[in-house]
Amino acid sequence: MPHITLNSDAPGIRGLFMFRPETARPLNELVEVLLRQESTLSRGERELIAAYVSALNECRYCFSSHAAYAAAQLPEGMALVEQVRADLGAAPVSEKLRALLAIAAAVQQSGQKVSEQEIAAARETGATDLEIHDTVLIAAAFCMYNRYVDGLATIAPDDPASYTARAQRIVSDGYLALLAESQRRS
């Protein structure tokens, strides 16, 4: 049961966006740039970073959402997402992605936990300054999104199919298109 009365039964951050639509656009613009704009990291990899941080923060709604979005864009699908969540060290990801996920995990604890060694390790695997920057910003942003969703005790559906259905729309249309559609309906 949400801590505040929302004007919608939409789950997670979607209900919060409907409650306070003027915050929805900038927050969606940020996630659109970070997770969908052209990058040397694939969309699936960036969604995986978001899902991983959300798992570390124990945000069920955000993890379930971004795990589904990552799975829809990674050839290995949900199996890879679950392997990363369970044991990053043993997960079958590139050394560069493993190093970036380690940086994301440090950010999740505190920005000050990111060490020179983690940055150097990422660079040794070929990570660029832009990839390191975006990893830190994705991790920081998802800490904020996770706390926003859980701090107001939003609804998180139990059925994985609800997240999978939305994943197809996110992959094909993006965050801003779905935001515009939901605002037209409300």
Side-chain angles (χ1 to χ4, degrees), residues 54-96:
S54 297
L56 293 174
N57 282 324
E58 299 177 5
C59 182
R60 189 165 60 97
Y61 177 80
C62 293
F63 170 73
S64 298
S65 297
H66 293 280
Y69 307 164
Q73 298 176 89
L74 294 168
E76 306 86 353
M78 190 57 78
L80 178 63
V81 175
E82 290 296 346
Q83 287 174 303
V84 166
R85 179 168 76 158
D87 183 0
L88 176 58
V93 296
S94 71
E95 288 306 312
K96 179 169 83 171

Side-chain angles (χ1 to χ4, degrees), residues 101-117:
L101 286 163
I103 290 170
V107 171
Q108 181 268 336
Q109 293 176 17
S110 164
Q112 295 175 345
K113 294 284 185 181
V114 179
S115 70
E116 285 295 324
Q117 294 81 8

Side-chain angles (χ1 to χ4, degrees), residues 40-63:
T40 50
L41 295 175
S42 74
R43 288 177 177 175
E45 290 170 329
R46 289 175 283 159
E47 289 284 0
L48 183 59
I49 294 167
Y52 185 59
V53 168
S54 297
L56 293 174
N57 282 324
E58 299 177 5
C59 182
R60 189 165 60 97
Y61 177 80
C62 293
F63 170 73

